[in-house]
């Protein structure tokens, strides 16, 4: 009914303007905005009047040449993964606290396993840094480190000062304060993943698959958002099961995505907290997220460094 009324008044207004212009080509129409500004148009130049969804025109913003997006949260989120040039690209795979990024198995042949992990001596219970539980430390080693130091932050290394890997708290903020919409074809690229929208009202916060809620507003790609592709992850082969590896040695690409946070699980420090994405669910957890896994990173920057 609302659309019908809008169309009716559009036709009525356009008809009136057309009638006026037929007798006076020099007539104009002035649009006054609530902020006191106004703009005039020549009636004879108006072709049509369309009621459409309003969307926020946002100029791209950059820090060190990398675009960020303001989703209305405590930090700004990068528009692309670390090592990627566009939102739908995978970028680098890297182990937690390792700043060396890899592209795929066919290019670098790097095996993501405890045997190659930077901060252990070959096994899960031989950690040599970021260890809060003596059971997992090499010869009982522990330290007080539970979050990435700057020297071990891949986001800082590749994107420069002001960028960092998001903390678990910041990742939970993203999950609980945005509208998450799954797509299997982002911008006609055939890349599946999640479009994460800046909400238009508080009722739409924390809507994602499994939340049991539906958005109250309409959202489209013209609205402020970021996109997280289901980039899979890298890991050493587990036994004889190679079903989920693709030709590039990536596990479950297109089916899942593991995005690193800056924090370990203090009870089980062989694991780090990640954003775990699937087409029908998402969560921020540490279950099975071993630090040697090759995961993707979506960086954040604080408002202070962007102002």
């Amino acid at each position: 009914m609302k659309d019908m009324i809008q169309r009716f008044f559009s036709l009525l207004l356009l008809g009136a303007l057309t009638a006026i212009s037929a007798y006076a080509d020099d007539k104009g129409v002035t649009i006054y905005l609530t902020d006191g500004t106004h703009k005039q148009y020549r009636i004879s130049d108006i072709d049509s009047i369309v009621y459409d969804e309003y969307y926020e025109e946002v100029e791209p913003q950059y820090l060190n040449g990398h675009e960020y997006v303001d989703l209305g949260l405590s930090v700004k989120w990068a528009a692309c993964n670390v090592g990627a040039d566009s939102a739908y690209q995978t970028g680098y795979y890297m182990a937690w606290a390792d700043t060396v990024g890899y592209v795929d198995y066919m290019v670098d042949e790097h095996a993501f396993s405890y045997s190659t992990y930077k901060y252990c001596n070959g096994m899960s219970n031989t950690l040599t840094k970021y260890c809060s539980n003596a059971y997992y430390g090499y010869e009982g080693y522990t330290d007080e480190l539970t979050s990435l130091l700057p020297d071990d932050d891949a986001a800082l290394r590749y994107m420069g000062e002001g960028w960092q890997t998001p903390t678990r708290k910041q990742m939970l903020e993203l999950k609980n304060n945005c509208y998450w919409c799954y797509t299997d074809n982002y911008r006609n690229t055939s890349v599946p993943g999640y479009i994460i929208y800046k909400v238009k009202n508080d009722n739409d916060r924390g809507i994602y698959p499994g939340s049991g809620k539906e958005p109250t507003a309409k959202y489209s790609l013209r609205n402020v958002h970021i996109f997280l592709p289901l980039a899979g992850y890298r890991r050493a082969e587990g036994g004889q099961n190679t079903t989920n590896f693709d030709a590039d040695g990536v596990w479950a690409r297109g089916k899942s995505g593991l995005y690193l946070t800056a924090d370990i699980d203090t009870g089980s420090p062989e694991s780090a907290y990640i954003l775990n994405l699937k087409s029908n669910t998402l969560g921020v957890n540490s279950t099975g997220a071993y630090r040697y896994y090759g995961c993707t990173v979506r960086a954040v920057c604080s408002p202070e460094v962007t102002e």
Side-chain angles (χ1 to χ4, degrees):
M1 178 64 70
K2 181 179 178 181
D3 291 341
M4 291 179 62
I5 294 173
Q6 289 177 339
R7 285 196 295 270
F8 171 76
F9 280 106
S10 295
L11 291 172
L12 186 64
L13 177 58
L14 184 59
L17 293 174
T18 301
I20 293 173
S21 64
Y23 295 97
D25 289 338
D26 60 340
K27 293 292 184 181
V29 59
T30 303
I31 306 296
Y32 290 89
L33 302 181
T34 55
D35 63 3
T37 61
H38 63 275
K39 188 172 182 180
Q40 187 179 60
Y41 299 90
R42 187 186 297 274
I43 291 176
S44 58
D45 292 336
I46 298 176
D47 175 72
S48 60
I49 299 172
V50 177
Y51 284 91
D52 199 0
E53 173 195 1
Y54 174 79
Y55 64 96
E56 188 177 350
E57 291 277 8
V58 179
E59 290 292 327
Q61 301 292 317
Y62 299 89
L63 176 63
N64 305 334
H66 300 282
E67 184 180 355
Y68 63 82
V69 178
D70 185 357
L71 295 171
L73 307 176
S74 64
V75 290
K76 311 293 178 63
W77 284 80
C80 307
N81 287 351
V82 172
D85 296 321
S86 60
Y88 60 88
Q89 291 180 335
T90 295
Y92 294 141
Y93 294 95
M94 55 195 72
W96 191 86
D98 195 343
T99 58
V100 179
Y102 297 95
V103 180
D104 60 54
Y105 179 78
M106 300 301 290
V107 173
D108 53 68
E109 296 186 355
H110 177 74
F112 285 88
S113 67
Y114 280 123
S115 65
T116 61
Y117 182 59
K118 182 177 182 179
Y119 289 126
C120 80
N121 281 345
M123 299 177 64
S124 63
N125 61 348
T126 62
L127 297 177
T128 59
K129 192 175 182 180
Y130 301 102
C131 184
S132 53
N133 186 328
Y135 173 80
Y136 294 95
Y138 179 63
E139 296 182 346
Y141 172 83
T142 61
D143 55 30
E144 300 301 321
L145 302 177
T146 60
S147 295
L148 287 174
L149 295 176
D151 287 347
D152 297 320
D153 194 327
L156 175 60
R157 175 192 172 180
Y158 287 104
M159 300 177 69
E161 195 68 31
W163 290 102
Q164 65 184 55
T165 299
T167 64
R168 181 191 181 211
K169 182 179 179 180
Q170 290 162 348
M171 195 68 86
L172 285 169
E173 181 187 37
L174 182 71
K175 175 191 174 187
N176 295 328
N177 290 277
C178 294
Y179 165 45
W180 295 65
C181 180
Y182 174 77
T183 177
D184 58 7
N185 184 21
Y186 180 67
R187 293 192 182 278
N188 297 315
T189 60
S190 299
V191 175
Y194 277 90
I195 306 167
I196 306 167
Y197 288 105
K198 178 181 180 180
V199 296
K200 297 182 179 181
N201 56 64
D202 287 343
N203 292 328
D204 293 345
R205 296 183 186 275
I207 295 181
Y208 49 83
S211 67
K213 299 188 294 182
E214 295 293 333
T216 58
K218 291 183 178 180
Y219 294 85
S220 73
L221 292 179
R222 296 189 302 183
N223 299 128
V224 177
H225 72 278
I226 61 172
F227 174 70
L228 296 182
L230 296 187
Y233 59 102
R234 298 278 307 280
R235 54 175 284 190
E237 293 185 5
Q240 300 301 312
N241 181 13
T242 60
T243 305
N244 287 321
F245 285 103
D246 67 11
D248 295 330
V250 178
W251 183 273
R253 180 164 20 210
K255 299 178 182 178
S256 71
L258 303 187
Y259 284 82
L260 293 176
T261 78
D263 301 316
I264 62 169
D265 184 334
T266 55
S268 301
E270 86 281 23
S271 298
Y273 282 99
I274 58 166
L275 171 64
N276 191 344
L277 301 178
K278 293 181 173 60
S279 62
N280 59 352
T281 185
L282 60 94
V284 179
N285 53 56
S286 63
T287 305
Y290 298 117
R291 281 163 50 173
Y292 71 81
Y293 280 2
C295 302
T296 44
V297 177
R298 181 59 64 90
V300 297
C301 57
S302 66
E304 289 77 14
V305 299
T306 61
E307 295 174 350

